[in-house]
Amino acid sequence: MMNLLRLIGGRAASAPVARERLQILLAHERGLRGQPELLGLLRAEILAVVSKHVVLDPEKVIVRMERGKHVSTLEVDIEVPNGFERSLAAAV
Amino acid sequence: MAKVLVVTSGKGGVGKTTSTAALGAALAQMGEKVVVIDFDVGLRNLDLVMGAERRVVFDLINVVQGVAKLSQALIRDKRLENLWLLPASQTRDKDALTDEGVGKIIADLRTNFDWILCDSPAGIERGATLAMRYADEAVIVTNPEVSSVRDSDRIIGMLDSKTVRAERGERVEKHVLITRYDSARAARGEMLSIEDILEILATPLLGIIPESQDVLRASNVGSPVTLNNADSAPARAYMDAVRRLMGETVTMMVPPVERKSFMNRLLRRRAA
């Protein structure tokens, strides 16, 4: 019936396109929701743990999350100043 | 027990204010004691849609700031004696609203009314977050159109995280109200269908309000559509929605596809 109407009308129905676009977009947006809080929390706790042993610049701790279709990756990038072993030795 | 219900959407122009007026009037028509609150500070319109624009003396901000008592700001409807309006301020900005101030007003109203309907402004900023803050239930007004559905999804996420109930680990009961629905266009595949919208939003349906001239006609004369033309299709759909809010099971009426002949369309155009 729909196909027949479409043939007569000469135009493809656009609602299925709308539906598909929305489903893809919202799956992505729902994934992002609440994520800043999670990353902030992870960053703060990682920073606290590492800082116990190494003197760090808090600005140099980067936590990033990439969401894939099947798996996501959590990337933690911590820049450690040279000579941190010395500060460690001093602490011991 | 009083119920606080927010009428919200994210997107503007989908029918929040019209729906607040219609749902509020319909609840009052069923004998409930109702107050509708306009949270759209700076752009108030609920007074106009309800035909009370010339009776506004004090407003929500005056009450929040202690300039007026709540009883002084409430406007009683001329047609329904158990329907009241708390207007928004037209001259102040939304920053004059405070969480504590709104919380106190809602708590006061809870002791006096069966239903407190909060008409949210568009957007996701202060006015909108405060309108939903104390809600027990939410009506998410959605048009069958991509941007409206996307914004509704965002608002649903906020209802689940930013409300007092959510923070206490309780649920805000959410309902989708589809407005401006055109069955003929949906049947032709030009408009998202009811099933599409409900599947995407994963939220139960409260009602389907058909696209209708009666809605515009009602706001033109400042009368909620359930009062202005109780037999019209949108009025019946709002009445059914209200029965569902009150816990009744009412069969969902999907607006029928009107078959119009060429002559019929021609005549209708002239009449309008």
Side-chain angles (χ1 to χ4, degrees):
Chain A
M1 184 60 192
M2 290 279 272
N3 289 330
L4 192 69
L5 280 172
R6 236 175 278 169
L7 276 175
I8 296 165
R11 262 179 307 172
S14 55
V17 181
R19 174 199 159 97
E20 199 186 324
R21 288 178 60 223
L22 269 173
Q23 279 171 330
I24 293 166
L25 174 72
L26 293 181
H28 175 71
E29 287 187 346
R30 285 172 191 155
L32 291 176
R33 217 176 272 161
Q35 197 181 331
E37 286 92 336
L38 172 67
L39 288 187
L41 195 69
L42 281 173
R43 191 178 166 282
E45 291 191 6
I46 290 167
L47 183 64
V49 169
V50 181
S51 296
K52 273 193 205 165
H53 308 286
V54 178
V55 179
L56 280 177
D57 177 358
E59 298 294 310
K60 300 285 168 64
V61 178
I62 296 161
V63 180
R64 206 180 290 127
M65 174 128 27
E66 294 257 342
R67 290 199 183 247
K69 200 167 182 181
H70 301 292
V71 286
S72 299
T73 57
L74 179 68
E75 189 184 325
V76 182
D77 186 346
I78 305 174
E79 194 181 302
V80 180
N82 283 336
F84 78 94
E85 298 93 339
R86 252 177 288 137
S87 56
L88 193 62
V92 174
Chain B
M1 252 266 295
K3 273 195 179 163
V4 179
L5 180 133
V6 61
V7 180
T8 184
S9 69
K11 191 176 181 319
V14 296
K16 282 182 297 296
T17 301
T18 312
S19 295
T20 305
L23 294 171
L27 280 165
Q29 282 166 286
M30 299 198 56
E32 301 284 290
K33 192 174 176 192
V34 184
V35 58
V36 291
I37 311 177
D38 191 346
F39 274 84
D40 205 344
V41 177
L43 289 170
R44 77 165 171 231
N45 273 318
L46 189 56
D47 55 333
L48 190 57
V49 170
M50 294 189 63
E53 71 277 12
R54 295 200 295 180
R55 299 170 62 210
V56 176
V57 182
F58 294 113
D59 57 54
L60 180 61
I61 303 291
N62 294 145
V63 182
V64 166
Q65 297 185 334
V67 175
K69 279 188 279 186
L70 186 53
S71 57
Q72 292 176 297
L74 288 170
I75 302 169
R76 190 179 210 156
D77 190 87
K78 293 234 173 182
R79 301 146 297 206
L80 294 166
E81 62 168 14
N82 45 347
L83 177 61
W84 302 73
L85 163 70
L86 182 54
S89 167
Q90 181 70 341
T91 51
R92 309 298 290 273
D93 67 81
K94 57 186 185 300
D95 295 333
L97 279 181
T98 62
D99 192 343
E100 304 73 43
V102 171
K104 187 172 180 315
I105 289 174
I106 301 269
D108 283 356
L109 292 171
R110 273 184 192 274
T111 62
N112 252 308
F113 288 90
D114 300 317
W115 290 89
I116 299 154
L117 268 57
C118 303
D119 181 21
S120 174
I124 52 170
E125 298 190 8
R126 196 181 189 89
T129 53
L130 284 178
M132 71 167 66
R133 181 84 187 133
Y134 296 92
D136 303 312
E137 295 195 31
V139 170
I140 300 119
V141 182
T142 307
N143 289 170
E145 183 268 324
V146 285
S147 59
S148 175
V149 176
R150 181 199 206 173
D151 292 359
S152 292
D153 190 75
R154 183 83 198 274
I155 285 291
I156 288 169
M158 291 176 66
L159 287 163
D160 290 337
S161 61
K162 309 257 179 202
T163 53
V164 170
R165 274 191 169 238
E167 285 170 7
R168 279 198 214 126
E170 298 165 5
R171 265 168 34 93
V172 172
E173 204 176 315
K174 302 179 296 282
H175 318 265
V176 169
L177 182 69
I178 298 173
T179 56
R180 311 203 65 167
Y181 187 73
D182 185 332
S183 296
R185 300 190 68 185
R188 288 198 297 270
E190 296 171 7
M191 191 181 245
L192 284 167
S193 68
I194 305 286
E195 296 75 40
D196 288 346
I197 298 169
L198 297 181
E199 191 196 323
I200 290 166
L201 295 179
T203 301
L205 179 64
L206 182 68
I208 308 160
I209 314 300
E211 171 81 71
S212 162
Q213 298 214 353
D214 291 293
V215 175
L216 181 61
R217 220 173 271 146
S219 73
N220 282 346
V221 298
S223 172
V225 69
T226 52
L227 272 176
N228 197 52
N229 186 356
D231 290 330
S232 64
R236 287 201 306 260
Y238 277 120
M239 274 297 195
D240 283 354
V242 155
R243 289 200 184 91
R244 290 183 196 108
L245 281 178
M246 292 174 73
E248 277 183 51
T249 310
V250 185
T251 315
M252 191 65 68
M253 294 291 289
V254 179
V257 179
E258 277 182 46
R259 290 177 184 280
K260 287 184 215 149
S261 67
F262 177 69
M263 269 313 275
N264 209 326
R265 273 190 216 179
L266 204 69
L267 286 171
R268 189 167 257 250
R269 191 160 296 173
R270 265 205 211 135

